[in-house]
Amino acid sequence: MTLATTLAAETNENLAHISNVLIYSAMAVYLLAFFALMAEWLFGSRSKVARTAAALTADAGAKETAAAKASTSAGPAVTVRAKGGTATLERPEAAPKVVTRAAAGNRDVPDGPGAAAGDEQGDLYGRIAVSMIALGFLVEAGGVLTRALSVQRAPWGNMYEFNITFSTVAIGVFLGLLALKKNVRWIGLPLITTVLLDLGLAVTVLYTDSDQLVPALHSYWLWIHVSTAIFCGAAFYVGAVSTAAYLFKDSYEAKLQSGGTPGRFATSVMERLPASASLDKFTYRMNAAIFPLWTFTIIAGAIWAGDAWGRYWGWDPKEVWSFITWVAYACYLHARATAGWKGRKAAYLALIAFGCWLFNYYGVNIFVSGKHSYAGV
């Protein structure tokens, strides 16, 4: 072994060690962000949440009373133009009252005040949390970069590298949405919680020493195919969190609409979230925007398989579950555009689709053998 080779090996080993230190440091920063997010939810003014809920309930009651009076009177006026002027026609008193069940997007409910509940102290904790998340993102991105330098390839050769990259991109998507002024700060707590679990799993169970890929996989398609797969998964994850929140908020609004009284804890949490209509719209836009990129991911993987293994499609478990995930999201988008399947039914399909992606991410790589199991886990 020459001196240059020895120095290169020592450099790569040092870079791998630095990468590990940065990943652990990012976990520490994310943990601080987790506590700040908890403080934002806990110390945000609950009295303001209660007042907001009471005002919304009173406003809804006033609207219902006004609507009832209008239905028993002459009904709403209809204005028409005639000979340059206007004439007012009144609906007959015997006009029937039509009552329809509120569907997703039909309830006149404004978005909640956010996790801080509009409280200055809670908002301060939230801003601190976002700052800590941004710092943790930079530190973790540095860990991914030094891991790539230590192996001198894309850092996606095993499940450990895939996990640390996936969590980095998920945080990046969250910060990007915040930069675009989207009302998504409430996603921070479930996101950081699952990122900490993901990184904990990566450094304990899935950790693999730096190593090179088999020659067939040394291709520029690695950068294209795997990077898009990671980005799609991060965006799908954000959409899945929004879907789950939509289901809870929709049930909460339906209970209020039917005259029920939710518990104090449910009121404190649900009144801070966006309205179910906003959550439903956000979920649809996220999944619809990413679906074409997921389609490209599958096509790019097929092209890469043709170059590496001499066939474009071989019913490998990873290929099969990627296609199943594609079909599941296609069903969701179709259902979301179909009147009878909007709302909760479409939301359940979205969660099933993300479950397929999650199994493709963990289950296939860990429990199923195939051509994609090329670097251990």
Side-chain angles (χ1 to χ4, degrees), residues 11-21 146-147 150 207 210:
T11 300
N12 292 340
E13 184 177 350
N14 291 334
L15 287 172
H17 177 70
I18 293 173
S19 174
N20 295 339
V21 171
T146 51
R147 176 75 177 198
S150 70
Y207 182 79
S210 302

Side-chain angles (χ1 to χ4, degrees), residues 150-202:
S150 70
V151 293
Q152 299 179 1
R153 58 166 172 79
W156 310 314
N158 49 61
M159 281 295 292
Y160 169 75
E161 295 173 356
F162 198 87
N163 267 38
I164 61 175
T165 306
F166 171 77
S167 58
T168 304
V169 175
I171 295 293
V173 170
F174 171 68
L175 293 175
L177 291 172
L178 287 178
L180 294 174
K181 307 298 183 183
K182 301 299 181 182
N183 182 19
V184 295
R185 200 164 87 181
W186 60 271
I187 296 179
L189 185 57
L191 175 64
I192 288 300
T193 302
T194 50
V195 162
L196 284 171
L197 292 174
D198 181 72
L199 290 176
L201 181 66

Side-chain angles (χ1 to χ4, degrees), residues 106-315:
N106 289 343
R107 299 190 187 100
D108 187 16
V109 179
D111 289 341
D119 180 74
E120 291 185 3
Q121 183 184 25
D123 184 65
L124 175 63
Y125 284 120
R127 292 179 182 275
I128 292 174
V130 172
S131 299
M132 299 302 292
I133 292 172
L135 175 61
F137 168 77
L138 294 176
V139 174
E140 188 180 9
V144 174
L145 177 61
T146 51
R147 176 75 177 198
L149 293 175
S150 70
V151 293
Q152 299 179 1
R153 58 166 172 79
W156 310 314
N158 49 61
M159 281 295 292
Y160 169 75
E161 295 173 356
F162 198 87
N163 267 38
I164 61 175
T165 306
F166 171 77
S167 58
T168 304
V169 175
I171 295 293
V173 170
F174 171 68
L175 293 175
L177 291 172
L178 287 178
L180 294 174
K181 307 298 183 183
K182 301 299 181 182
N183 182 19
V184 295
R185 200 164 87 181
W186 60 271
I187 296 179
L189 185 57
L191 175 64
I192 288 300
T193 302
T194 50
V195 162
L196 284 171
L197 292 174
D198 181 72
L199 290 176
L201 181 66
V203 299
T204 55
V205 178
L206 301 177
Y207 182 79
T208 305
D209 291 328
S210 302
D211 199 1
Q212 293 299 319
L213 299 175
V214 296
L217 298 179
H218 282 284
S219 171
Y220 59 89
W221 283 107
L222 175 67
W223 294 91
I224 299 172
H225 171 65
V226 182
S227 63
T228 53
I230 293 173
F231 180 77
C232 288
F236 282 150
Y237 167 77
V238 174
V241 174
S242 179
T243 302
Y246 160 76
L247 290 172
F248 284 111
K249 189 62 182 283
D250 182 68
S251 297
Y252 174 79
E253 291 177 0
K255 189 171 185 178
L256 286 178
Q257 191 177 43
S258 63
T261 304
R264 185 177 179 181
F265 176 77
T267 300
S268 177
V269 174
M270 291 297 126
E271 286 298 333
R272 306 187 194 195
L273 297 179
S276 62
S278 298
L279 292 169
D280 182 52
K281 185 183 298 182
F282 175 76
T283 299
Y284 172 71
R285 288 179 174 176
M286 284 294 296
N287 291 332
I290 296 302
F291 182 72
L293 189 60
W294 181 250
T295 304
F296 170 78
T297 301
I298 296 176
I299 295 173
I303 296 174
W304 186 19
D307 291 342
W309 299 318
R311 90 293 187 278
Y312 294 103
W313 189 267
W315 298 104

